[in-house]
Amino acid sequence: MNEYDSNRILDLTKKIKYEPTKDLNEANCYILNTCHIREKATDKVYHDIGRLKKNFINKSKPIVLITGCVAQAEGSILLKKEKYIDAVLGPQSYHKINDTILRLEKKKISPVEFTEFDVIEKFDSLNSLKNTDNKISSFLTIQEGCDKFCKFCVVPYTRGAEYSRSIEELISEANQLVENGAREIILLGQNVNAYHFKKNKLSNLILEISKIKDLKRIRYTTSHPKDFTADLIEAHKNCEKLMPLIHLPVQSGSNRILEAMNRKHTVEEYLEILKKLIKVKPEIKFSSDFIIGYPGETNDDFKKTIKFINQIGFINSFSFIFSPRPGTPAFDLVKVEERVSKNRLIEFQRIAENIKKNYRNNLIKKTVKVLFENKMKSGNRYFGRDEYFNSIIVESNSDLTGLIKNVKILKGNQNTLFGEIISNVDQTNYAA
Ligand code: SAM
Ligand code: SF4
């Protein structure tokens, strides 16, 4: 979502004639868009500013803005602690960026903080501006914020309450992205499947967007098990453009821990969703997030998590040691000993990696459908992703960007699979 926000910040600042630069020496305005989900986020901001200061030591100071969730959570503390920062703007206030920059240019304001939850005003401003993102696989934020209040999580405090954008503005923005060249759209939300606008849910939005002719693939992330309703499961049966990989965070394989986290579902309920999805789409696969060493997690709870990942065979498991976030209910809970958490994480990741390795080894000599996103810097190599979001590289003398090809997988390493095109025809026959 930060990537989407950063692109929109670029769209906004272009209006006042600012252009992105890769050369830090050339910058006269520096915007640091931040994430606050795990610890050290604030330290990273101070560290970055330190580097920036060194870089600009004998030059005129650039305008320095901090945006994103660290700006929201820390607000004026950042301004007080680090005088080099000119303004902080939270994730629901970044539409005020141009006005802020213009006033800072004229030195008309002293350091300023915008951390209101102006989500309606923000999207009103953004809607009046064409989305210029021109990636083959583009992000589209459809929903923000969260009302679930898991005890470990800062999102309800930094992004605010659940908010869904109107279906009309989303279809219009999806059309813009496809006109810019997108062939895949990844619908985003902190709880993407909580999307609801009037009578429309995520399933309706997916079916509407799938009508865009040149759009070949749709994905969505991140969903919450509690919002996995029957209509969304049906959409996986009815919409060929919807990719058969679902990222559905579970966090733990122990009901005791799920309850302590306030996740609002059990392991059995989670499994039931997977069963229903497999029934409508047998080739569907899953990935998930896990928090290791949540306060109160015993060895027995941890073993249940291990049993769970072995049972499901997630093709990707993202795991994090519990990070106490200030302001959340879990912050003050008695922590699992660091050494124990670290050992559990190592064991978890070893097992998760083995599951992933076996899955990827099984792909060798198989044929997969790859949507190519870009030519790589070296050689005639093209990068793309298959339906399960695996990274695939092939060699080709003709331009593959934006095309879907059948690719035979020849070999792979931990992160990338290498293959050869076996069909030069764009064989996609995806229908809405
Ligand atoms: N809304 C999604 C859900 O309910 O599963 C997850 C969104 S959260 C932004 C992304 C992931 O960060 C979570 O699934 C969780 O695994 C991880 N996470 C969030 N807070 C954390 C914390 N305090 N410590 C460790 N991991 C955390
Ligand atoms: Fe955070 Fe997701 Fe829980 Fe909301 S549902 S509080 S975003 S982990």
Side-chain angles (χ1 to χ4, degrees):
M1 190 169 283
N2 271 14
E3 192 174 323
Y4 175 87
D5 288 342
S6 298
N7 284 333
R8 296 307 269 156
I9 288 172
L10 276 183
D11 284 340
L12 279 164
T13 51
K14 276 180 195 157
K15 241 175 111 179
I16 53 165
K17 308 273 183 278
Y18 276 73
E19 289 292 334
T21 174
K22 285 192 171 136
D23 179 2
L24 188 57
N25 293 311
E26 204 181 59
N28 55 357
C29 176
Y30 182 86
I31 304 168
L32 186 61
N33 195 20
T34 58
C35 173
H36 200 235
I37 200 78
R38 281 177 291 277
E39 66 197 324
K40 303 220 168 78
T42 317
D43 298 351
K44 278 187 206 153
V45 172
Y46 294 124
H47 182 77
D48 249 56
I49 300 296
R51 275 201 339 207
L52 194 66
K53 273 182 180 168
K54 271 192 203 150
N55 194 70
F56 282 86
I57 206 153
N58 290 321
K59 302 175 204 153
S60 55
K61 176 190 171 306
I63 291 172
V64 177
L65 308 178
I66 310 295
T67 57
C69 289
V70 176
Q72 185 67 40
E74 299 286 316
S76 57
I77 302 172
L78 286 174
L79 295 173
K80 269 187 213 130
K81 267 200 182 166
E82 181 47 88
K83 302 286 178 222
Y84 209 68
I85 300 172
D86 296 301
V88 290
L89 298 103
Q92 308 306 7
S93 301
Y94 69 72
H95 54 292
K96 294 182 179 146
I97 208 161
N98 286 353
D99 191 40
T100 310
I101 293 174
L102 292 175
R103 287 166 69 191
L104 284 164
E105 270 181 358
K106 293 183 189 132
K107 313 234 178 310
K108 278 209 169 140
I109 43 170
S110 44
V112 62
E113 172 190 352
F114 292 112
T115 45
E116 301 84 19
F117 290 108
D118 284 341
V119 66
I120 298 178
E121 211 180 287
K122 177 181 89 174
F123 280 115
D124 280 351
S125 304
L126 293 178
N127 288 337
S128 65
L129 214 63
K130 197 170 180 286
N131 188 327
T132 62
D133 187 7
N134 60 1
K135 291 211 182 77
I136 296 297
S137 175
S138 289
F139 292 127
L140 174 56
T141 291
I142 67 164
Q143 178 278 345
E144 278 202 53
C146 181
D147 299 338
K148 300 271 186 313
F149 290 93
C150 299
K151 292 202 174 159
F152 52 81
C153 182
V154 286
V155 167
Y157 311 98
T158 55
R159 290 264 171 181
E162 274 179 12
Y163 171 82
S164 295
R165 298 178 64 192
S166 87
I167 196 147
E168 292 80 16
E169 71 189 63
L170 290 171
I171 291 167
S172 158
E173 196 170 329
N175 271 303
Q176 283 171 22
L177 292 170
V178 176
E179 275 163 28
N180 297 348
R183 294 294 171 263
E184 170 176 282
I185 290 184
I186 307 179
L187 305 173
L188 298 180
Q190 267 87 38
N191 265 301
V192 75
N193 54 341
Y195 176 84
H196 59 98
F197 183 77
K198 295 184 179 161
K199 284 187 181 149
N200 294 296
K201 295 163 99 177
L202 176 60
S203 58
N204 307 101
L205 179 66
I206 289 169
L207 292 174
E208 278 309 311
I209 287 181
S210 72
K211 290 178 189 158
I212 302 174
K213 192 174 148 278
D214 288 334
L215 181 66
K216 312 274 197 228
R217 291 180 169 183
I218 301 171
R219 304 180 191 271
Y220 58 87
T221 197
T222 298
S223 358
H224 189 284
K226 198 72 194 154
D227 295 314
F228 230 102
T229 46
D231 54 299
L232 184 55
I233 294 174
E234 273 300 291
H236 279 275
K237 185 166 113 190
N238 300 330
C239 181
E240 281 288 314
K241 290 186 182 181
L242 194 52
M243 290 297 97
L245 171 70
I246 296 177
H247 183 64
L248 190 59
V250 63
Q251 317 298 355
S252 170
S254 155
N255 281 335
R256 215 176 61 79
I257 295 299
L258 290 181
E259 197 181 343
M261 288 175 166
N262 189 30
R263 284 294 289 179
K264 302 179 169 65
H265 66 83
T266 60
V267 170
E268 291 72 24
E269 283 161 348
Y270 182 95
L271 285 171
E272 197 53 33
I273 298 167
L274 267 49
K275 229 165 88 186
K276 286 180 184 160
L277 281 160
I278 293 167
K279 194 167 170 208
V280 298
K281 193 123 190 155
E283 69 271 33
I284 210 155
K285 300 207 180 300
F286 304 94
S287 62
S288 197
D289 291 348
F290 296 84
I291 294 181
I292 307 296
Y294 187 75
E297 184 190 77
T298 61
N299 208 24
D300 188 46
D301 294 317
F302 176 65
K303 277 193 191 139
K304 285 183 176 151
T305 302
I306 295 293
K307 190 171 158 223
F308 191 69
I309 57 165
N310 278 320
Q311 181 183 352
I312 309 294
F314 293 103
I315 67 168
N316 261 311
S317 297
F318 303 93
S319 49
F320 322 95
I321 289 184
F322 166 69
S323 168
R325 311 306 295 128
T328 61
F331 183 69
D332 291 323
L333 299 178
V334 180
K335 285 154 207 70
V336 171
E337 211 185 314
E338 199 182 326
R339 182 186 50 86
V340 173
S341 292
K342 277 190 179 157
N343 285 341
R344 284 182 191 163
L345 185 75
I346 291 168
E347 188 181 344
F348 179 95
Q349 292 187 338
R350 185 181 51 79
I351 294 166
E353 268 311 305
N354 263 339
I355 295 171
K356 183 172 165 179
K357 209 165 138 191
N358 284 341
Y359 158 71
R360 289 163 77 89
N361 282 345
N362 276 332
L363 285 175
I364 310 285
K365 294 196 183 137
K366 299 252 165 61
T367 300
V368 296
K369 278 195 167 92
V370 179
L371 168 59
F372 287 96
E373 298 184 17
N374 56 278
K375 186 168 191 259
M376 300 186 68
K377 277 187 191 135
S378 63
N380 280 339
R381 302 195 309 158
Y382 284 82
F383 170 87
R385 289 187 192 273
D386 71 1
E387 293 175 306
Y388 299 96
F389 216 60
N390 293 308
S391 303
I392 317 270
I393 292 177
V394 303
E395 298 225 357
S396 167
N397 291 325
S398 60
D399 185 5
L400 299 176
T401 317
L403 301 178
I404 298 180
K405 302 282 184 190
N406 283 325
V407 171
K408 185 174 168 190
I409 302 299
L410 302 173
K411 60 180 182 179
N413 61 31
Q414 215 180 2
N415 299 315
T416 311
L417 295 162
F418 299 87
E420 63 180 5
I421 294 172
I422 58 162
S423 156
N424 270 328
V425 191
D426 186 355
Q427 286 207 333
T428 171
N429 53 0
Y430 292 126

